[in-house]
Amino acid sequence: QKEVEQDPGPLSVPEGAIVSLNCTYSNSAFQYFMWYRQYSRKGPELLMYTYSSGNKEDGRFTAQVDKSSKYISLFIRDSQPSDSATYLCAMTSQLMTTDSWGKFQFGAGTQVVVTP
Amino acid sequence: DAGVIQSPRHEVTEMGQEVTLRCKPISGHNSLFWYRQTMMRGLELLIYFNNNVPIDDSGMPEDRFSAKMPNASFSTLKIQPSEPRDSAVYFCASSSWGLPVFGPGTRLLVL
């Protein structure tokens, strides 16, 4: 079983709809949770970053973490065709310090298509 | 800020040939990662450098793969000899004690 599970999609939604993405994980040591967006033939770019449980909002994007359920979500409101991309969740037990680091575990990525 | 720079962007080679991928991290970043992305396996960490020193190379598939970081502004990933199953997109990422910033990737096709 993979440490991080993510449905690969594709997820197709009409413009203006809410996009709901999620990942589940098995390692209870994970504390830092990230969402990356990857456009076709580009590198992943950091979209949202959350520490521990709770919600974080940035414009049209909301990230939620439920550590008790080992479940994280990303919501995109008022979706636009420019949001069409693959969204990867990532998580780690710790960020880098001078003498230790936590390896990032990535989900498989969910392909999102927003149709005009 | 130019971001992470990778070269070449595309590489097509024949099985058995040596392939060298290059990366210039963001200036001031002290950590560098090499990742490989395929449809089947997703994004996999190959090796991680901190202050030019390899810290974790447990993801390097086999002895055919090697990576070096001779200085803070340059790293290479070499595959010798290359095989068709090495076909993938290879990403270099760098960070400054935080979250990786990815380069545009090198798309490798081994025939």
Side-chain angles (χ1 to χ4, degrees):
Chain A
Q1 183 187 3
K2 293 181 180 179
E3 276 194 284
V4 180
E5 297 282 354
Q6 184 178 11
D7 188 333
L11 179 63
S12 184
V13 300
E15 182 176 355
I18 294 175
V19 176
S20 176
L21 304 167
N22 58 77
C23 290
T24 59
Y25 62 95
S26 57
N27 188 343
S28 58
F30 289 147
Q31 294 193 83
Y32 298 85
F33 304 91
M34 285 69 64
W35 287 95
Y36 282 82
R37 177 175 61 194
Q38 185 175 20
Y39 290 114
S40 179
R41 296 184 175 268
K42 301 289 186 182
E45 57 177 328
L46 182 66
L47 199 58
M48 298 282 285
Y49 154 62
T50 308
Y51 171 69
S52 193
S53 286
N55 295 358
K56 186 173 184 178
E57 190 172 314
D58 183 2
R60 297 184 296 112
F61 299 89
T62 299
Q64 291 184 349
V65 175
D66 182 350
K67 291 187 69 179
S68 62
S69 301
K70 298 188 179 66
Y71 187 90
I72 70 170
S73 302
L74 177 70
F75 300 96
I76 308 173
R77 292 182 299 279
D78 187 25
S79 58
Q80 304 295 312
S82 58
D83 295 325
S84 298
T86 296
Y87 292 80
L88 300 99
C89 63
M91 48 199 78
T92 183
S93 57
Q94 64 179 87
L95 296 180
M96 282 163 268
T97 65
T98 54
D99 57 3
S100 65
W101 79 297
K103 183 183 289 189
F104 280 64
Q105 295 293 339
F106 282 84
T110 299
Q111 183 184 4
V112 173
V113 179
V114 181
T115 54
Chain B
D1 188 349
V4 176
I5 299 173
Q6 291 188 247
S7 65
R9 294 295 308 278
H10 303 272
E11 178 82 23
V12 180
T13 190
E14 293 186 345
M15 183 174 63
Q17 296 298 307
E18 178 179 295
V19 175
T20 299
L21 311 181
R22 297 172 176 79
C23 174
K24 177 178 170 56
I26 293 173
S27 177
H29 282 189
N30 59 347
S31 297
L32 184 138
F33 309 83
W34 282 101
Y35 284 89
R36 177 172 67 177
Q37 187 176 43
T38 61
M39 290 293 291
M40 289 295 294
R41 302 174 67 89
L43 203 57
E44 302 174 281
L45 177 67
L46 300 177
I47 188 168
Y48 156 56
F49 291 88
N50 189 35
N51 291 324
N52 313 338
V53 176
I55 302 299
D56 186 343
D57 65 354
S58 60
M60 295 286 265
E62 49 200 272
D63 291 346
R64 297 185 298 107
F65 285 69
S66 62
K68 294 182 179 180
M69 191 165 186
N71 56 62
S73 58
F74 184 68
S75 177
T76 59
L77 178 68
K78 186 176 293 186
I79 308 172
Q80 165 64 14
S82 58
E83 297 183 3
R85 59 193 169 120
D86 301 331
S87 297
V89 182
Y90 290 81
F91 289 104
C92 176
S94 68
S95 78
S96 176
W97 304 115
L99 306 171
V101 178
F102 285 82
T106 294
R107 190 170 295 268
L108 174 65
L109 177 62
V110 183
L111 302 174

